[in-house]
Amino acid sequence: MTRMTPFSNPLLLGFETMEKTLDRLNKSGDGYPPYNIVRLSGEEPNERLRITLAVAGFTPENLDVTVEDNQLIIRGRQTDDEEFEYLHRGIASRQFQRAFVLADGIKVGAAELKNGLLSIDLERPAPEKRVKRITISAIDDE
């Protein structure tokens, strides 16, 4: 039985990678760390966004922010503090990886860690209208 998807319409050409991306997003179910995405207001023609992740206990050295292809990937790694003997350990040192798929043209700006919140600014330039006329060549039948 063939699986029907929104991208199986024959009028949608070249969207195979989009379909794979959506499948990958559906499979990522871990909610750690929690995050917000906000649109920053402004009078600029470019859309500005900010992703904020709650990363309490992490230092800038424990965090890694990279852009790989069209993905913004945030990784966090903490090491166990072996100088202490824990009587109770309710705060786990936990590793994480959170990935956000970026649309074409989105630029990743500054990243800032303040009060346990990692903020990453994004900018989407205003789209340019592109029109391209295709020349039709005539072939004479002889």
Side-chain angles (χ1 to χ4, degrees):
M1 183 171 166
T2 304
R3 187 182 102 183
M4 292 298 292
T5 67
F7 297 104
S8 60
N9 185 314
L11 299 176
L12 297 174
L13 303 174
F15 286 91
E16 296 82 14
T17 56
M18 176 84 64
E19 188 172 11
K20 290 177 187 175
T21 299
L22 290 174
D23 284 343
R24 188 173 57 236
L25 289 174
N26 284 334
K27 293 175 185 173
S28 65
D30 187 16
Y32 181 79
Y35 64 91
N36 292 334
I37 302 175
V38 297
R39 179 175 289 123
L40 302 174
S41 62
E43 298 295 323
E44 302 168 27
N46 297 345
E47 182 179 28
R48 292 177 40 231
L49 305 170
R50 178 172 289 151
I51 299 173
T52 304
L53 292 88
V55 291
F58 286 85
T59 64
E61 294 78 26
N62 300 136
L63 297 167
D64 186 40
V65 179
T66 58
V67 177
E68 298 175 17
D69 295 325
N70 277 3
Q71 284 194 0
L72 170 65
I73 300 175
I74 300 108
R75 293 180 180 93
R77 295 176 194 81
Q78 287 181 319
T79 56
D80 286 336
D81 198 355
E82 302 202 3
E83 67 181 73
F84 298 110
E85 178 185 349
Y86 289 94
L87 302 177
H88 171 76
R89 183 144 192 190
I91 304 171
S93 59
R94 179 174 176 180
Q95 296 185 17
F96 72 86
Q97 177 174 311
R98 171 72 70 187
F100 298 91
V101 179
L102 303 175
D104 288 338
I106 289 189
K107 295 183 173 111
V108 178
E112 177 183 75
L113 180 63
K114 182 178 179 184
N115 296 330
L117 297 174
L118 175 64
S119 296
I120 303 165
D121 290 340
L122 308 172
E123 184 175 337
R124 180 194 322 231
E128 297 176 11
K129 186 175 179 179
R130 298 182 305 191
V131 177
K132 180 181 178 184
R133 180 170 297 279
I134 307 300
T135 305
I136 301 172
S137 58
I139 301 173
D140 293 329
D141 291 329
E142 290 186 29

